[in-house]
Amino acid sequence: MRKSVEGVLPVVVGLLVVVSAISATGVVAEPGVSEEAYVQAAPEKGDAYFEAQASDGSWISYKNPRDEYRSPYLGDGSTKMCVVLLNEEGEPIVGETVPNTTITIPTGDTLNWHSSAGPITVELPLTEHYDRPLDADQFGTSDLPQGDGYLDSHCYEFHGNPEDATVEYGEAEVDGEHADRLEVVGYIQHAHSAWNSDIDPIADAESYEEAGGGWTFRPDGSHGQVVVVLQLDSPETASNGSDGDASGEADADTAGATDGAANESDGNADDEANAEAGAEHEVDEQPGFGVLVTVFALSLGVLARTRR
C-alpha cells in the first residue's frame, strides 16, 4: 500500500509546482506572429535565376518571370515596381494567412504596353499565384552586392522605355477577403541610381506624396524603382482597428469620469469597510488561486482512495 502512495505523491507534487508557478506569475506565453517569415535564399552564381552583378559591387540582379521588354525597344529606360509584405515583426511573408486578397497599383500610360501593367495586380498568397513568390532581395546588408542574401519582395520589371520617359504610379489599393488586415505602410522610391538595400522597409517608407509617385528618366540615370510596403495586422488589431482603439480610449475616459463622480459622491463611505473589501479583492484576484485549491483537494482525495 505504501508503494502505491509513493507512486502518487510525485505526480501530486508536480501538479502543485506547475499550478503554483502559474498562480504566482499569471503569465501566458505571448502568441507568435500571425504568419511565419518566408525564408528563401537568393540565387547564387551558377543558379538558373542568377542574372548578373556589377563589377564594383553596386548592384546584383536575378532573373524575374515578371520581366518584359518593350518591342520595339525605344531606349534604356528601366523600371522596377515591387511589393513587400511583412508580418507583425517586420519579416517578409507571402500572404498565406490572407488569401483571396489583391494589391493593385495603377500605372501611367508609359507602361501600358506591358502585359501586366495598367494596373499592376499582386494576388495573395504569392505561393499559389506565381512560379517565384519572391524574386528580389531589396532589403538588408551583408557582404553581397545588394541585400542580405534572402529574397523579400515580389516585383514587376519594365525595360525599353525612352531615356526621357516619365513613369508614374498611383496609390496602392488593397481589396478582397482580408483587406482589413493589410496596412499600406508607405512607399520607398529610388530613381536614377542603383538601389540602396541598406534601409528599413518600415522606418524608411514614406507617404505616397512624399515618395513622389513616379520619376522622369535621364541619360545618366535611366533606372528607377519603387517598393510598396505592406504589413500584416493581427486579427485582434484588424477587428478593432485604429478607430476602434480611439473609441475604446474615449469610452474608458468616459467611464473613468463617471466612476470618479460616483466615488466623490460616496466619499463619506466607511474607510474600514473599504479596506476590508479591498483586501478580499486582492485575494480573489490572485491568478490561478482557485485552481491551486482544487488540485490540492483532488490530490487529497487520490491519497485517501489509495490508502484503502
Side-chain angles (χ1 to χ4, degrees):
M1 193 64 64
R2 176 182 296 178
K3 187 174 182 180
S4 299
V5 174
E6 291 175 350
V8 172
L9 280 175
V11 177
V12 174
V13 172
L15 286 171
L16 290 176
V17 170
V18 172
V19 176
S20 297
I22 296 174
S23 301
T25 62
V27 174
V28 179
E30 288 294 326
V33 294
S34 300
E35 181 174 334
E36 295 294 330
Y38 188 85
V39 180
Q40 181 179 350
E44 298 180 357
K45 284 186 177 180
D47 188 287
Y49 283 107
F50 184 91
E51 190 169 38
Q53 69 181 54
S55 57
D56 62 358
S58 59
W59 56 264
I60 188 170
S61 67
Y62 310 106
K63 293 180 181 178
N64 183 351
R66 304 275 79 80
D67 279 6
E68 190 160 321
Y69 290 79
R70 182 166 187 160
S71 181
Y73 199 83
L74 301 180
D76 291 330
S78 177
T79 297
K80 193 171 187 176
M81 293 189 179
C82 307
V83 167
V84 60
L85 178 59
L86 308 170
N87 63 17
E88 296 92 334
E89 294 297 323
E91 302 166 319
I93 57 176
V94 291
E96 292 177 347
T97 56
V98 285
N100 304 316
T101 305
T102 301
I103 300 110
T104 302
I105 306 171
T107 56
D109 293 338
T110 307
L111 305 176
N112 62 9
W113 56 270
H114 194 294
S115 61
S116 297
I120 294 173
T121 57
V122 178
E123 298 179 80
L124 302 178
L126 298 171
T127 45
E128 292 185 6
H129 296 283
Y130 307 100
D131 293 336
R132 299 194 71 205
L134 302 178
D135 47 51
D137 184 8
Q138 297 292 101
F139 301 100
T141 300
S142 68
D143 56 357
L144 295 174
Q146 179 176 309
D148 59 2
Y150 293 92
L151 302 180
D152 50 42
S153 303
H154 183 84
C155 302
Y156 287 73
E157 298 188 28
F158 314 80
H159 304 277
N161 281 121
E163 294 180 0
D164 60 351
T166 296
V167 172
E168 297 176 331
Y169 59 90
E171 294 188 64
E173 303 171 0
V174 183
D175 301 290
E177 185 176 341
H178 299 282
D180 59 338
R181 291 194 57 201
L182 289 180
E183 175 193 0
V184 179
V185 177
Y187 306 76
I188 299 177
Q189 177 177 303
H190 195 181
H192 307 130
S193 60
W195 178 260
N196 174 23
S197 61
D198 187 15
I199 51 179
D200 185 277
I202 295 178
D204 293 313
E206 300 178 310
S207 69
Y208 176 76
E209 290 76 18
E210 291 173 325
W215 59 85
T216 299
F217 294 122
R218 57 188 187 218
D220 59 346
S222 60
H223 183 73
Q225 297 189 44
V226 63
V227 177
V228 181
V229 181
L230 300 103
Q231 188 168 28
L232 182 66
D233 282 336
S234 65
E236 293 78 9
T237 304
S239 61
N240 294 330
S242 56
D243 293 339
D245 291 340
S247 176
E249 291 175 4
D251 291 342
D253 292 340
T254 303
T258 303
D259 291 344
N263 290 337
E264 186 176 349
S265 64
D266 294 338
N268 296 325
D270 185 72
D271 292 338
E272 184 177 348
N274 287 339
E276 293 175 357
E280 293 176 0
H281 179 69
E282 288 181 6
V283 173
D284 291 342
E285 286 299 310
Q286 288 297 322
F289 189 79
V291 176
L292 180 59
V293 173
T294 301
V295 172
F296 186 74
L298 290 173
S299 302
L300 292 178
V302 172
L303 288 173
R305 285 195 299 273
T306 305
R307 288 178 179 274
R308 292 176 183 175

